[in-house]
Amino acid sequence: MIPSPSGQFKKMATVNKRRKVDSEGRRFQDRWKVEYFFTEIENHCVCLICQETVAVYKEFNVKRHYQSRHSTYDKLTGHDRSEKLKQLEAVLMSQQKFFIRARESNENATRASYEVATLIAKNCKSFAEGDFIKECVMKMVENICPEKKQEFANICLARNTVARRIEEISSDIKRQLTSKGVDFDFFSIACDESTDLSDTAQLLIFMRGVDDEMNVTEELLDLQSLTDQTRGKDLFVSVSSAIDDMKLPWNKVTGIITDGAPAMVGERSGLSTLICNKVIEEGGKAIKLHCIIHQQVLCAKHLKYDHVMKPVLKTINFIRSKALCHRQFKQFLLDIQAEYEDVLYHNDVRWLSRGSALQRFYSLRKEIGEFLETKGQPMRELSDPIWLADLGFLVDITKHLNVLNTSLQGKDAAVNQLYSHLKAFGTKLQLFIRQLSQTQPNTIHFSALQEIMNSFPQDNISAQTSRYAADIASLAGEFKRRFQDFAAIEKEISLFSSPFSVDPDDAPDQLQLELIELHCDSELRSRHQQLSLVNFYRQLDKSRFQEIRTLAKKMLSLFGSTYMCEKTFSAMNFNKNRVRTRLSDSHLRDILRIKTTAFEPDLAYVLQSRSQFHPSH
């Protein structure tokens, strides 16, 4: 059916009329306050008497509303009318303040619940701990400021609420990281895989990015849960998903570091190989590194000394495996006021465990011998001076290895710092070899061995220490053999950490001219000595030293170890324990992101995105 022309004309006229009203630009007139008891609130014309609004700023509409509903107020004139206006405005203002206070109270309660949820995640507590925390707070409020009890009661810390808060905070941290990632010039990734208590393979992916101002960001990129196989290609799919999800360009990847597992470092289908191939396809170049701490631990195991370790571990297990024997041993140490209260278990997985267990056993060797005698289980090795010398040497060398391991741990460590610790330890080993190989051996750096050697015949000392020197030489060879990946980039590390010590002829072609400019600038040489390495490169002229700054950013972006992965796995096992096996993978990821991040949650942004501030929502 075709509409009539007259009908169309009427419809258009109606639309045009509405548009004319909207475009008239009418304004509220101040005289309407006294004449009609109207006021303006957020671009609305509101009646002070009944709080209804008039759609259009038009005196005819305002007057009609007043005369049809509130004509009884016409009897008020002069001063009485002004006083009535003030009274009505005061009533409206008090109503507005009430709702504002209610909104602020709800907003503060909601903000507080976010803060507590963040602390719950950071401290690896159960979501249900929120109710207990609130119960404790309410008891304190009742005794300190009971008049504020209702305000604190509005804070919702129920389990589901805490879970939602943690999800939203994790999303905000991810948003900040995504925004920060846009500015990265280069970044590298660190990957490690472990199995949680519910037999789910969890792949941790950390990223270390550097922007143009040399600011380093080290954050958890993602936690990928693998429910099937964990082959190199499976890990690659997960890592690719995480990088693409963050919209990070592949050609900016400078390297990948892993723990050395076959699925990680396989020459053909390992994760590192697949990642490097992907980067090459995208026009970049990435290097593969094996975690410097893992390699150091493997080198430490090169000195087996089973003839020492087996009796020590057998004795420790004998003492601690049975409750009665263990209690009697601790009481025995307490009665004789020994230096320590107990021996330590050895855990082969823990990096420092071997050295700590040996050191404690050596310190309590006399007390242990006496206790075993009372149990009718004498330890004959404790009366053998050669065995005791081997024990003392092993205690000392593992102590040096533990010091190295500790120096390699920590967040935000640059690859040049870690490699310098490694090179320093190699130099120490050469010193130990020379000192122990002398005709008159110098055992100043082996305090336990020196203590045992004081009771040795002079003729036997040299032969004994020569054997230890050979073992240290073997250990030094193992260090040299294992760290080939770091040795391959030693020139780049040296150029980054000591640019004034590198001959321009030995530098890459694209750096030679800039390096000469750097060497000839006495002011920059002075700054290099005074400033930290990062600050030195940060203040270099971007146009004059573009290639040197590019090298610095690449070196700063490299991980030297998977320390953050190992530390985060400890937090994972602490969260997903025997009583929390049903913790979902997504919640586990949210908790670990909050636990490891250096970002502060932007609660103002989170609250701004909410449509309401009901404390439980």
Side-chain angles (χ1 to χ4, degrees), residues 231-233 235-236 256 261-277 288:
R231 299 164 298 181
K233 61 181 182 181
L235 303 179
F236 175 72
I256 174 173
M264 296 286 186
V265 298
E267 286 296 327
R268 294 184 178 180
S269 58
L271 173 63
S272 298
T273 302
L274 296 175
I275 291 290
C276 291
N277 291 341
K288 297 184 289 186

Side-chain angles (χ1 to χ4, degrees), residues 37 39 41-42 46-53 85-104:
F37 293 112
T39 189
I41 301 176
E42 296 181 356
V46 181
C47 177
L48 290 169
I49 301 172
C50 63
Q51 281 82 49
E52 290 189 9
T53 60
L85 173 63
K86 292 180 181 179
Q87 180 183 353
L88 291 173
E89 287 180 333
V91 171
L92 181 63
M93 185 65 67
S94 64
Q95 291 175 349
Q96 289 178 325
K97 287 183 178 179
F98 172 79
F99 288 109
I100 291 173
R101 283 196 300 269
R103 178 181 174 85
E104 288 179 350

Side-chain angles (χ1 to χ4, degrees), residues 2 29 59 110 122 130 154 171 176 178 218 224 235 240 283 341 347 367 404 448 451 488 599:
I2 300 175
Q29 304 296 321
E59 185 172 7
T110 304
K122 281 185 175 292
N154 288 338
S171 297
Q176 294 184 55
T178 303
E218 195 171 297
Q224 292 279 338
L235 303 179
S240 299
E341 298 177 351
N347 187 334
E367 291 84 350
L404 171 62
E451 182 182 0
F599 291 121

Side-chain angles (χ1 to χ4, degrees), residues 522-540:
S522 57
E523 183 180 353
L524 291 179
R525 187 182 293 270
S526 176
R527 289 181 185 176
H528 183 261
Q529 296 173 351
Q530 297 172 358
L531 300 174
S532 66
L533 200 57
V534 174
N535 286 334
F536 169 74
Y537 283 109
R538 184 175 287 144
Q539 55 82 45
L540 281 183

Side-chain angles (χ1 to χ4, degrees), residues 13 43 89 108 149 155 189 248 272 304 311 319 340 354 375 433 509 573:
N43 296 323
E89 287 180 333
N108 292 336
K149 182 177 178 180
I155 302 173
I189 56 175
L248 297 169
S272 298
K304 295 186 179 298
I319 293 173
Y340 298 103
R354 186 188 191 195
K375 287 291 182 179
I433 293 170
D509 295 342
N573 293 330

Side-chain angles (χ1 to χ4, degrees), residues 98-204:
F98 172 79
F99 288 109
I100 291 173
R101 283 196 300 269
R103 178 181 174 85
E104 288 179 350
S105 178
N106 287 342
E107 183 176 349
N108 292 336
T110 304
R111 180 184 291 272
S113 69
Y114 275 104
E115 297 278 9
V116 174
T118 302
L119 292 175
I120 287 175
K122 281 185 175 292
N123 291 277
C124 304
K125 299 298 182 181
S126 168
F127 298 162
E129 292 285 344
D131 288 326
F132 173 70
I133 293 172
K134 183 175 180 179
E135 186 178 351
C136 295
V137 169
M138 293 306 298
K139 288 296 181 182
M140 290 187 284
V141 171
E142 288 174 5
N143 288 277
I144 298 174
C145 48
E147 70 279 1
K148 294 184 178 295
K149 182 177 178 180
Q150 186 57 47
E151 294 183 36
F152 284 91
N154 288 338
I155 302 173
C156 183
L157 295 175
R159 183 186 182 281
N160 290 337
T161 301
V162 171
R164 285 197 302 272
R165 299 286 188 262
I166 289 175
E167 291 171 4
E168 293 171 13
I169 292 168
S170 175
S171 297
D172 178 69
I173 293 171
K174 184 178 179 181
R175 177 191 62 81
Q176 294 184 55
L177 180 59
T178 303
S179 176
K180 188 81 172 176
V182 175
D183 299 326
F184 289 160
D185 287 344
F186 300 101
F187 70 94
S188 68
I189 56 175
C191 300
D192 201 357
E193 179 264 325
S194 183
T195 303
D196 64 21
L197 205 61
S198 61
D199 292 332
T200 301
Q202 304 287 0
L203 175 64
L204 275 174

